[in-house]
Amino acid sequence: MLEADLKNFFGSLDHGWLLRFVEHRVGDPRILSLIKKWLKAGVMEGSAYEESEVGTPQGGSISVILSNLYLHYVLDLWFEKAIKPKLTGECYLIRYIDDFIVCFEYKQDAERFVEVLEKRLAKFSLSLEPSKTGLIEFGRFAKRNAKAKNRKPSTLYFLGFTHYCTTNRKGHFQVGRKTERNRLRRSMSNLKDRIREAMHWKVKEQIDRINRTLRGHYNYYGMGGNSRSLNKLYYFAMQYLRKVLSRRSQKGRVTWELFGKIMKKHPILLPYIKIPYTEFKNYVML
């Protein structure tokens, strides 16, 4: 399996190639003219103006659309039409903007693909980010092979999740998922700041704010198998809230007994799984 990320993707897009790709989809010359002007509008940093000859502005209103269109022709379509038919085993490409993974049945297919991928990207002024790109063994036999070599099996980081090899209750292979460590720390830090900012609010208002933050986290990270990571954030919210409530006055220490009564009246949102294992097949796109 190849996990890859593109180096300085939004700042490297070639305007010539991008406009040629857009012309395949858009026939109105007025729209094309607007896109050309928008790409060459430049950026302001303080009082200094910088022209932009390549790339799309990060945070721009249609940057993501144009970037996806660019990679559709550079990577997705090329992989389906030119690469897939030449490989001996099954292979799949999963991409989210400039972050993508490619799964191969056979190691030799993966090694051949890596060789041609760099040449393909260079043709369109793109390159791989070395620190976020790697070829790893992942799947049914990866855990067994790693154990035979006396090492830990490889894990895969993609879209905020750590994917690892595990087994289900019947002993069959299963892809495990948990919140990536740095993302979990970031969520805890964000939650900590929000609780501290609302330190002197009414308790109900504090907990309402905490629950809004937790609901957003659960909706994204509430995947089957990720209960442990969700629980870590939930218990962190409880412990830090009690700590903050105890600091509101010198005589206001909140015991666990008192905190339990507060939770009964204004409960913190419990973790929940948004997409259980039984529904995964409904989200699979081949």
Side-chain angles (χ1 to χ4, degrees), residues 24-251:
H24 277 281
R25 304 244 175 172
V26 179
D28 192 331
R30 293 168 296 182
I31 299 297
L32 294 172
S33 177
L34 284 173
I35 292 175
K36 289 178 184 177
K37 292 178 180 178
W38 180 78
L39 289 172
K40 296 183 178 181
V43 293
M44 292 288 294
E45 291 190 7
S47 58
Y49 169 78
E50 289 188 12
E51 293 185 356
S52 54
E53 297 297 329
V54 294
T56 61
Q58 286 193 348
S61 54
I62 61 170
S63 286
V64 174
I65 296 175
L66 291 178
S67 302
N68 271 316
L69 184 64
Y70 195 86
L71 279 183
H72 170 73
Y73 288 102
V74 173
L75 185 61
D76 302 348
L77 204 59
W78 169 72
F79 180 78
E80 288 294 325
K81 302 295 184 182
I83 299 299
K84 225 174 180 180
K86 297 179 181 179
L87 301 181
T88 53
E90 290 189 48
C91 55
Y92 304 96
L93 184 146
I94 304 98
R95 179 179 65 83
Y96 182 79
I97 308 180
D98 63 331
D99 195 5
F100 63 94
I101 58 176
V102 193
C103 311
F104 300 92
E105 184 178 0
Y106 300 118
K107 182 180 178 181
Q108 59 268 27
D109 284 344
E111 293 172 340
R112 288 173 57 196
F113 176 73
V114 171
E115 292 177 5
V116 296
L117 175 62
E118 293 183 354
K119 296 177 183 179
R120 173 69 177 182
L121 294 177
K123 181 180 178 181
F124 297 93
S125 306
L126 298 175
S127 61
L128 295 171
E129 175 57 57
S131 62
K132 298 180 180 179
T133 302
L135 197 61
I136 63 171
E137 184 180 13
F138 195 91
R140 284 187 301 158
F141 309 112
K143 191 172 183 179
R144 183 192 65 187
N145 295 340
K147 188 176 181 180
K149 296 177 183 177
N150 197 27
R151 60 177 177 80
K152 291 183 178 180
S154 300
T155 55
L156 171 68
Y157 303 99
F158 189 60
L159 302 182
F161 287 92
T162 298
H163 303 261
Y164 58 95
C165 302
T166 185
T167 54
N168 59 20
R169 294 176 181 177
K170 296 181 179 180
H172 300 148
F173 170 76
Q174 181 173 280
V175 177
R177 296 172 185 83
K178 60 182 179 181
T179 308
E180 199 268 319
R181 185 181 302 174
N182 291 334
R183 294 292 184 95
L184 184 58
R185 287 176 181 169
R186 192 186 309 169
S187 296
M188 287 180 175
S189 178
N190 178 51
L191 189 58
K192 188 175 181 179
D193 291 340
R194 295 181 72 81
I195 294 174
R196 192 187 296 119
E197 289 168 2
M199 180 176 181
H200 297 290
W201 294 11
K202 293 179 180 179
V203 173
K204 182 181 182 304
E205 293 175 349
Q206 283 183 290
I207 294 177
D208 285 344
R209 190 181 212 210
I210 292 169
N211 287 344
R212 286 196 295 271
T213 303
L214 290 176
R215 186 175 290 107
H217 185 90
Y218 297 161
N219 284 342
Y220 183 84
Y221 291 101
M223 301 279 284
N226 196 29
S227 298
R228 184 176 296 181
S229 296
L230 300 181
N231 285 329
K232 283 182 180 179
L233 188 64
Y234 169 75
Y235 287 115
F236 173 82
M238 290 186 64
Q239 291 169 357
Y240 196 74
L241 176 61
R242 174 180 169 269
K243 186 177 181 179
V244 167
L245 291 176
S246 296
R247 289 178 175 175
R248 300 218 292 189
S249 70
Q250 292 181 349
K251 298 181 180 180

Side-chain angles (χ1 to χ4, degrees), residues 3-37:
E3 54 176 335
D5 190 18
L6 297 178
K7 185 177 182 180
N8 189 26
F9 173 59
F10 287 98
S12 302
L13 301 188
D14 184 282
H15 288 179
W17 280 110
L18 178 57
L19 291 171
R20 288 174 65 181
F21 296 151
V22 172
E23 288 171 358
H24 277 281
R25 304 244 175 172
V26 179
D28 192 331
R30 293 168 296 182
I31 299 297
L32 294 172
S33 177
L34 284 173
I35 292 175
K36 289 178 184 177
K37 292 178 180 178

